[in-house]
Every structure is written in C-alpha cells, then in structure tokens.
Amino acid sequence: MRCVPYCAVLAVALFPFGHAKAQMPMIINDAIAATVSSERAAVKIDPAPEGQAQIVFYRKRPFFGNKEIFALSEGGNEFAQLRFGQYAVHVIEPGTRQFALAAGGEALALQAQAGQTYYVEGELVKAEGGKRQSLKRVDEDQFRKVSFQLMKLETKAAE
C-alpha cells in the first residue's frame, strides 16, 4: 500500500500541467489496482491430523540468484527438496525427531507432540569459508509474515 501515497503525490504534483488533470484519476486507480492485485493472502495451515504432529518447512524468497536446493531428510530418508519461495507440510508421528540437510550442517532435533504444528525456516548462514545451509525453528507469526510469497511443495510420506 506504500505505492498509493507516492502515486497520489505524483498526481498532485502533475495537476497544474494541462493533460495531467485528465490522467490523475487514471494514475491513482492504476496504482491502487496494482497494489491490490499484488497482495496475496497468508497461507492457512490446517491443524495436524489426529494423533500426529506436523512440521511446516519453508524458505523465504531471498536475494536474486540464490538457487540452492535444501534436501530435507529424516533418518536418511529424503522427503522434500525445498527451493526458495516454497513450503512443505510434513506430517510425523509424535516423539523425538531429527531432521537434516543433504548439504550437511547441524541436524535439527524436535520433540514433537500430537496435535501440534511446528515451523522451521531453511536459511543460508555465514560460516567459515562461505555460507552453509541451516534449519531454525520459528514461530507461526514469522511464517505468516512471509507465507503469502510461498508456494506449496508436496512431500513424500513419512516412513
């Protein structure tokens, strides 16, 4: 919505010039239409199935050119290949679980409880000699703030 005030100021600035009078409503309407059409609703995650837990893994849309794939696995079984701008809902049995990335790094341990939904962000973090892939647990609000930019990725069933 920040675009609307700027376009309105531009339209008012152009107002004294002849043809700008006729174009002012069109400029403002175009700015409003572009803003409204570019906004998407936040993703709604359904509750975990009865007797199970679920984890929402996601990667924000990063800077231009980051095409790394986060290969997510549990117990050596890969269940998703997450690209930037994607999220995946992984349903699991309750208990202590360990999730890892094929690229290495520290495994994420999680004590999952039945009926709970957990959120995990995949990110690139600075490390000695460059960057490495990492998983970090976040809260639902952090996911919701970026969820409108994400596309769903189907995961392989947990084994």
Side-chain angles (χ1 to χ4, degrees), residues 89-140:
V89 180
H90 187 59
V91 177
I92 58 172
E93 294 294 324
T96 302
R97 309 304 284 257
Q98 293 252 353
F99 299 95
L101 293 162
E106 218 173 288
L108 175 73
L110 181 72
Q111 179 62 42
Q113 296 179 1
Q116 294 295 312
T117 300
Y118 303 93
Y119 298 88
V120 175
E121 179 182 347
E123 63 181 355
L124 288 174
V125 294
K126 290 182 181 179
E128 193 174 313
K131 294 187 178 198
R132 67 174 172 84
Q133 296 179 354
S134 176
L135 296 173
K136 76 172 180 179
R137 206 154 146 219
V138 297
D139 61 22
E140 184 178 2

Side-chain angles (χ1 to χ4, degrees), residues 47-96:
E50 192 171 324
Q52 296 184 311
Q54 66 185 5
I55 304 173
V56 179
F57 291 93
Y58 73 96
R59 287 188 60 206
K60 291 192 272 189
R61 292 185 127 176
F63 56 88
F64 179 75
N66 180 355
K67 296 183 180 180
E68 282 194 48
I69 296 173
F70 282 44
L72 300 165
S73 66
E74 180 182 15
N77 297 321
E78 185 178 299
F79 59 87
Q81 290 192 353
L82 207 55
R83 291 171 170 76
F84 69 87
Q86 291 183 322
Y87 76 96
V89 180
H90 187 59
V91 177
I92 58 172
E93 294 294 324
T96 302

Side-chain angles (χ1 to χ4, degrees), residues 6 19 22 38 40 44 46-47 77 85 98 111 113 131 153:
Y6 293 118
H19 66 54
S38 68
R40 293 175 40 192
K44 183 181 181 312
D46 293 329
N77 297 321
Q98 293 252 353
Q111 179 62 42
Q113 296 179 1
K131 294 187 178 198
L153 172 71

